[in-house]
DNA sequence: GAGGCGTGGTG
DNA sequence: TCACCAAGCCT
């Protein structure tokens, strides 16, 4: 928890509704504090941005970067990935986690080839129609790859807005109102609006972080409703993550890792993790992976989907 | 809308 | 040590 606001901080009357030019303060801060990330390089390309956004869904930046570069070297265009079997995508995904994302990214590449002539669409609704792309990713691609003017709201932005505008320590559940709140602070200029979107995410990722925010380094310090209110704790509304050790997810992860490391022909099902502590759980993992389309079962063998 | 879904780093 | 965390999406 940050230091409480001092009396002199509180002497300035906080402006709670419509804080003046939050966007301007974010842009100025971003101009000197933005991290140099691959997908922010000029000319990185819409496909690269799209792949990066898939990988960044729930996986930290530092783990994504090397995998992203290898992925784009192997499959420089959507058509290149679409031409490969899904199993190759799942193997290349390696240990990034949530391997369904690899399958979904492959499906999206096929859809881009078949429905959009191999060009990543620019229209938000067209993006939303692709497998694995939701409200956040669709707008992130339209804004960061194409420079269009839309609100982009991820968990970092929701936290920044919750604190700076609503005076809460943590955001409420995701809602369409988040998009409206972000839209309200976007400048009219397209390029600047893209920068404000990026800056809000960046601030939330590096300064206005969930557990130990560095308010002393925050450009919104003097206009933050949460700080002005003395950092009230509104509690954390996020769902608690279930225990991983002993979970079905762990079993799925172990099965899939074994299949990634195996030859394309796969492994006899009765030789697939025979020593797993809970045989029913192992079987459930295999079946659910097959239901998801990650794994195929033929003739007593399990292998990655071809 | 709540629950399910990987993995590795961190305080 | 271990609970929590990390640019969500789908059902």
């Amino acid at each position: 928890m940050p230091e409480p606001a001092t009396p002199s901080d509180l002497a300035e009357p906080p402006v709670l509704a419509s804080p003046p030019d939050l966007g301007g303060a974010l842009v100025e801060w971003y101009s000197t504090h933005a991290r140099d990330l691959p997908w922010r390089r000029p000319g990185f390309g819409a496909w690269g941005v799209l792949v990066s956004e898939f990988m960044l869904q729930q996986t930290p930046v530092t783990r994504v970067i090397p995998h992203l570069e290898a992925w784009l070297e192997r499959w420089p265009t959507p058509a290149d990935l679409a031409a490969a079997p899904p199993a190759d995508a799942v193997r290349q995904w390696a240990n990034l986690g949530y391997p369904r994302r690899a399958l979904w990214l492959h499906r999206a590449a096929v859809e881009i080839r078949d429905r959009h002539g191999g060009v990543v669409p620019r229209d938000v609704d067209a993006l939303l129609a692709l497998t694995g792309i939701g409200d956040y990713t669709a707008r992130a691609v339209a804004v960061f790859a194409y420079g269009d003017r839309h609100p982009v709201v991820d968990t970092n932005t929701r936290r920044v807005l919750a604190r700076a505008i609503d005076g809460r320590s943590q955001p409420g559940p995701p809602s369409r109102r988040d998009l409206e709140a972000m839209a309200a602070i976007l400048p009219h200029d397209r390029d600047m609006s893209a920068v404000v979107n990026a800056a809000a995410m960046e601030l939330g990722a590096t300064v206005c972080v969930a557990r130990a925010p560095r308010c002393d380094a925050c450009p919104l310090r003097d206009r933050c409703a949460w700080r002005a209110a003395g950092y009230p704790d509104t509690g954390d509304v996020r769902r608690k993550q279930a225990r991983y050790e002993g979970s079905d997810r762990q079993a799925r992860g172990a099965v899939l890792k074994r299949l990634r490391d195996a030859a394309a022909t796969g492994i006899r099902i009765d030789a697939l993790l025979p020593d797993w502590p809970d045989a029913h759980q192992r079987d459930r993992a295999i079946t659910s992976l097959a239901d998801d389309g990650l794994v195929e079962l033929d003739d007593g063998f399990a292998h990655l989907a071809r």
Side-chain angles (χ1 to χ4, degrees):
Chain A
M1 196 57 52
E3 294 300 314
T6 64
S8 63
D9 291 326
L10 298 172
E12 282 288 314
V15 180
L16 298 180
S18 285
D21 203 18
L22 276 186
L26 286 168
V27 168
E28 178 168 347
W29 171 81
Y30 188 77
S31 71
T32 52
H33 292 83
R35 290 169 294 176
D36 178 23
L37 300 173
W39 45 91
R40 291 177 177 165
R41 297 199 309 257
F44 193 68
W47 172 239
V49 171
L50 178 60
V51 175
S52 76
E53 295 297 348
F54 266 84
M55 291 184 171
L56 288 164
Q57 293 169 3
Q58 303 283 278
T59 300
V61 164
T62 53
R63 290 183 58 204
V64 162
I65 289 173
H67 287 277
L68 174 66
E69 290 173 347
W71 189 283
L72 292 174
E73 190 163 329
R74 182 169 183 182
W75 296 303
T77 71
D80 292 322
L81 176 58
D88 287 5
V90 172
R91 274 204 187 80
Q92 186 71 33
W93 198 259
N95 63 343
L96 274 175
Y98 291 140
R100 292 190 293 194
R101 290 182 293 165
L103 195 59
W104 292 342
L105 177 54
H106 181 271
R107 288 179 187 164
V110 170
E111 292 158 1
I112 290 167
R113 179 194 64 193
D114 294 347
R115 307 210 291 247
H116 301 285
V119 178
V120 174
R122 177 170 186 162
D123 178 71
V124 169
D125 287 329
L127 286 160
L128 281 169
L130 299 174
T131 302
I133 294 192
D135 273 332
Y136 164 74
T137 303
R139 289 173 177 79
V141 170
V143 170
F144 301 136
Y146 291 114
D148 287 340
R149 186 178 181 282
H150 304 281
V152 181
V153 176
D154 74 337
T155 187
N156 292 307
T157 293
R158 295 199 311 112
R159 186 171 53 250
V160 168
L161 296 178
R163 289 174 177 170
I165 296 177
D166 299 334
R168 300 166 51 85
S169 62
Q170 302 291 340
S175 146
R176 305 294 300 190
R177 306 195 120 186
D178 301 333
L179 288 176
E180 298 166 16
M182 190 61 197
I185 70 165
L186 291 183
H188 285 97
D189 180 81
R190 296 159 82 84
D191 293 339
M192 279 304 101
S193 73
V195 173
V196 170
N197 278 308
M201 293 173 58
E202 186 76 349
L203 187 69
T206 61
V207 174
C208 191
V209 295
R211 272 206 285 185
R214 301 188 297 114
C215 299
D216 56 335
C218 181
L220 308 184
R221 181 177 58 249
D222 294 333
R223 49 190 115 194
C224 176
W226 183 45
R227 178 179 173 87
Y231 301 114
D233 185 1
T234 48
D236 198 333
V237 300
R238 284 168 298 181
R239 299 191 303 264
K240 278 174 73 173
Q241 196 164 292
R243 180 179 185 82
Y244 185 67
E245 188 66 30
S247 68
D248 283 13
R249 298 165 76 173
Q250 183 184 38
R252 281 171 55 105
V255 168
L256 204 64
K257 171 168 173 48
R258 184 73 187 83
L259 292 177
R260 282 199 310 266
D261 293 343
T265 50
I267 298 183
R268 290 193 54 87
I269 293 175
D270 54 20
L272 184 46
L273 302 188
D275 297 327
W276 193 257
D278 179 342
H280 288 103
Q281 182 182 60
R282 178 205 55 209
D283 293 346
R284 198 160 60 240
I286 295 169
T287 329
S288 74
L289 288 166
D291 288 344
D292 286 346
L294 281 160
V295 166
E296 289 168 355
L297 307 175
D298 309 314
D299 198 24
F301 278 76
H303 57 79
L304 297 180
R306 291 196 271 261

